[in-house]
Amino acid sequence: MPGGESAESLLASDSGASTDRLRFLGTATQRIGRGLDLDDTLRELRQTAIPAFADTIVLHLRYPMPVREGQTAAEPLVLRLHSLTLGPEDPAIGPPPTAAEGNPLTVTGRFAEFLLAREAGFADTPEVAPAVAELLEPVASMLTTPTPTPTPTPTPTPTSPPGRRLIIAPLYGRRHLVGTVALLRGADRPPFSADDLLVASQLATHTAFGVDRTMSRGPEASVADALQLVMLPSSLPETTGVRLASRYLPTSGTSQAGGDWYDAIPLPGNRVALVVGDVMGHSITSAAIMGQLRTTVQTLARLDLPPEEVLYHLDEQAQRLGSDHMATCLYAIYDPISQRLQVADAGHPPPVLLHPDGSGEVLEVPPGAPIGVGGIPFETVEMPAPTGATLLLYTDGLVETRTTDVLTGVELLRTRLEAAAAGLASPPLEMLCDAVLTILDPDARADDVALIAARFEGFPPHNVAYWFLSPQPQTAGRARQLTRRALHRWGLGTMLDATELMVSEVVTNAVRYATRPIALRLLRTETLRCEVVDDSPQLPRMRHARTGDEGGRGLFLVHQLAERWGATMLSTGKVVWFEQRIPEEYRQTGAEAT
């Protein structure tokens, strides 16, 4: 979980409950969406929801399951028990023979209408209440079966749960109901709230999409899916000044996986590179090429090249892979300190910016040729990135279908973003991601969808100290003096001695090789970060000085005193940086930080 917090603590807190639910959902939907088969998808649901959201989960699946593209679901609606999970340490229990073969549940009437409406409900909901006993009847017989080892902690009794301690959520996929999930809480924790119904609905929806995907794809497509999902980022970085959310939705039906990808890469100076790309074609080869191109982008990003140069070198790599492998890519760099955005495009659909006032804008970025064409230059455009704005990067599967062209789809996307943000000062990123996916027509969509959303939060100016210094012998002393003033202003006097020493050593090294003014920057967040930039491409290396050496100990001291340090090559030189953890008592509160 983000920040090392447990899922239980996120959902149990009274303050910031809405934010906690969104953070939980962001992690949960990513885990569920990465399931590679039916059992894997349902296992991720169970492990994510217990104990963070519920104490017991009962899963029913439709019988027979509609698994082929275009197949009509069987009538009447019949459910069979799939599994019961009693707690976080307990394995999922499969149904006994009587439940699996002799006790199917035929759903009719108001309960069937409730399930087909795709919304979760409490046990005391009029449409749900009459069916609860029958839905959980097989579970009662399972709980009375003797087990070799008793459950170590009390578990809820699902045979007669209070109304607000049981939620029934339909597992409704792209076209059909595929099952139900019952989520129960014990008497030792608060009952579910109305907001928890929304959480349960989201968990069920993403699980149903995963079941749909895994049940309808052939062996080769499953291998391509697995390859592609492994190559996508397992989590997004947590960087100061920007919030991130993402979605990946494989193509429906039996088509093979494509080469869509997204990424977020931290850069020096608290900047972040945002990437989205799409390798043309649908095959295992496309997924493999995607992995190579994504790795190349990560390598180029860490060289801190401008966007047009990243695309230029990526184009070269694609040509080496073969002329048959083309891709589109959009590469953007957000700087929270200057609040600027740089974007370059290689044949990709344009990004959409949702402004703080709720208006949407399709950004005008010169569309270069796709990656792999070769010989055509790319162009970077720079624009303001106002605090509170949200940038959405996506692949063409979101805006282009069999019945909708790209331009029409992009305009629909912009309109949908505006509608989702209407009346909300700062709409949650997870909600926006889910909202834009609703523009998709599952019957017309024939391509994967990858998207990444970035909420610009900026960097408080009073937490930045920045100077340009001439490369002269006395510069190290001047740097120590400026550092001392900044730390006193921030109330960090206890960190002064170590910081001054490290600044002096790094600046002295920069002065030795620089031919132009060097830059010294201090950034205050939960850590104190120092960056020294010079125009020399020679990266420093740590070495152990011998007894008679006069120098050679600078980086060794930095290595010993700093929590982290490093050196990154830039297109105009290099940056050497180090970080120290600010003691808890000297950190800013939320109000002070902004």
Side-chain angles (χ1 to χ4, degrees):
M1 297 298 294
E5 296 176 86
S6 67
E8 300 96 306
S9 65
L10 287 181
L11 289 177
S13 64
D14 293 328
S15 61
S18 297
T19 301
D20 293 340
R21 288 187 179 90
L22 291 171
R23 292 169 62 191
F24 167 74
L25 273 177
T27 301
T29 54
Q30 282 191 2
R31 288 188 58 177
I32 293 170
R34 297 177 70 86
L36 300 180
D37 55 33
L38 174 63
D39 291 337
D40 197 23
T41 299
L42 298 181
R43 185 185 308 112
E44 291 293 350
L45 169 64
R46 293 190 295 263
Q47 293 180 351
T48 301
I50 298 178
F53 186 69
D55 297 311
T56 296
I57 289 183
V58 182
L59 282 163
H60 286 75
L61 293 183
R62 191 165 187 173
Y63 181 82
M65 185 80 76
V67 297
R68 294 192 302 274
E69 180 73 10
Q71 178 181 351
T72 302
E75 296 292 345
L77 173 57
V78 177
L79 298 175
R80 281 189 173 174
L81 181 66
H82 175 272
S83 61
L84 163 71
T85 306
L86 296 175
E89 305 301 327
D90 298 315
I93 305 171
T98 55
E101 303 297 334
N103 294 327
L105 171 62
T106 300
V107 179
T108 59
R110 298 181 68 185
F111 186 52
E113 294 175 359
F114 162 78
L115 294 179
L116 296 176
R118 313 186 189 189
E119 295 182 358
F122 294 119
D124 55 5
T125 303
E127 294 84 358
V128 177
V132 168
E134 189 176 6
L135 190 68
L136 300 183
E137 186 275 333
V139 179
S141 63
M142 295 170 65
L143 291 177
T144 58
T145 303
T147 55
T149 55
T151 304
T153 56
T155 57
T157 304
T159 54
S160 57
R164 293 296 171 116
R165 296 190 180 276
L166 168 64
I167 291 179
I168 302 293
L171 302 177
Y172 202 102
R174 296 181 179 88
R175 295 173 179 83
H176 307 295
L177 181 80
V178 297
T180 65
V181 56
L183 302 151
L184 299 96
R185 279 187 180 175
D188 59 340
R189 65 190 299 183
F192 292 112
S193 67
D195 289 336
D196 290 326
L197 288 178
L198 300 177
V199 175
S201 293
Q202 287 293 310
L203 292 175
T205 297
H206 286 278
T207 302
F209 284 168
V211 172
D212 254 0
R213 183 183 73 252
T214 59
M215 294 296 291
S216 63
R217 303 175 70 81
E220 182 180 352
S222 296
V223 172
D225 268 349
L227 179 62
Q228 185 171 26
L229 288 171
V230 166
M231 291 179 178
L232 290 173
S234 58
S235 62
L236 295 174
E238 294 185 25
T239 59
T240 302
V242 61
R243 290 184 181 271
L244 302 171
S246 63
R247 291 290 185 272
Y248 170 71
L249 190 63
T251 184
S252 59
T254 57
S255 300
Q256 294 176 330
D260 295 30
W261 89 90
Y262 62 85
D263 218 338
I265 308 165
L267 300 176
N270 284 86
R271 293 171 301 143
V272 61
L274 305 169
V275 193
V276 67
D278 184 2
V279 176
M280 297 180 184
H282 294 81
S283 65
I284 295 178
T285 301
S286 298
I289 294 296
M290 177 271 285
Q292 295 184 63
L293 295 183
R294 178 178 174 238
T295 300
T296 301
V297 170
Q298 290 179 327
T299 303
L300 294 170
R302 288 182 170 86
L303 296 177
D304 205 20
L305 301 174
E308 75 274 10
E309 290 192 32
V310 171
L311 296 184
Y312 170 78
H313 292 294
L314 185 64
D315 181 57
E316 285 188 324
Q317 173 66 12
Q319 292 178 67
R320 284 192 288 270
L321 295 175
S323 58
D324 295 335
H325 305 306
M326 290 197 298
T328 64
C329 184
L330 194 142
Y331 187 91
I333 296 176
Y334 169 62
D335 187 341
I337 297 176
S338 66
Q339 298 187 21
R340 303 288 292 178
L341 182 70
Q342 294 179 310
V343 189
D345 189 355
H348 203 81
V352 177
L353 185 69
L354 181 67
H355 289 276
D357 63 1
S359 62
E361 177 188 3
V362 179
L363 298 183
E364 295 183 2
V365 182
I371 298 297
V373 172
I376 301 177
F378 302 101
E379 182 180 349
T380 296
V381 295
E382 185 171 338
M383 62 195 72
T387 297
T390 302
L391 182 71
L392 188 71
L393 310 183
Y394 54 91
T395 55
D396 59 359
L398 183 63
V399 294
E400 184 179 28
T401 68
R402 300 184 186 96
T403 58
T404 307
D405 62 82
V406 173
L407 293 178
T408 303
V410 171
E411 183 59 24
L412 286 173
L413 174 60
R414 185 192 65 80
T415 304
R416 186 69 188 91
L417 271 177
E418 289 184 339
L424 297 174
S426 183
L429 279 183
E430 300 293 342
M431 185 200 76
L432 286 179
C433 288
D434 288 336
V436 299
L437 291 178
T438 62
I439 70 173
L440 296 170
D441 179 358
D443 295 315
R445 188 171 65 85
D447 201 358
D448 297 8
V449 175
L451 64 89
I452 183 168
R455 171 72 45 77
F456 301 147
E457 295 186 331
F459 200 99
H462 60 267
N463 283 344
V464 182
Y466 200 110
W467 306 276
F468 287 100
L469 304 171
S470 299
Q472 299 173 352
Q474 63 269 29
T475 297
R478 176 62 175 161
R480 290 194 299 270
Q481 183 184 40
L482 295 171
T483 299
R484 190 180 307 117
R485 290 179 183 174
L487 265 61
H488 279 307
R489 185 171 70 248
W490 290 334
L492 301 178
T494 58
M495 303 178 65
L496 189 56
D497 291 341
T499 305
E500 270 195 76
L501 179 58
M502 288 188 284
V503 166
S504 180
E505 295 295 343
V506 175
V507 169
T508 297
N509 188 74
V511 168
R512 182 177 300 142
Y513 299 102
T515 60
R516 297 180 180 178
I518 65 174
L520 169 63
R521 181 161 69 175
L522 300 176
L523 304 173
R524 179 193 181 188
T525 57
E526 289 188 349
T527 63
L528 178 64
R529 180 182 175 97
C530 171
E531 299 173 348
V532 177
V533 182
D534 64 71
D535 63 339
S536 171
Q538 183 175 345
L539 294 179
R541 60 185 180 88
M542 186 175 63
R543 62 186 179 91
H544 292 280
R546 292 171 296 185
T547 304
D549 291 345
E550 295 184 2
R553 298 178 177 83
L555 288 182
F556 181 76
L557 288 172
V558 173
H559 178 75
Q560 294 295 316
L561 295 174
E563 181 176 334
R564 295 195 311 148
W565 76 277
T568 304
M569 185 178 293
L570 308 177
S571 56
T572 57
K574 68 175 179 294
V575 56
V576 181
W577 57 270
F578 62 82
E579 291 180 348
Q580 302 172 84
R581 177 69 60 173
I582 296 177
E584 187 75 34
E585 61 270 24
Y586 297 112
R587 294 183 193 174
Q588 294 173 299
T589 64
E592 293 171 335
T594 56

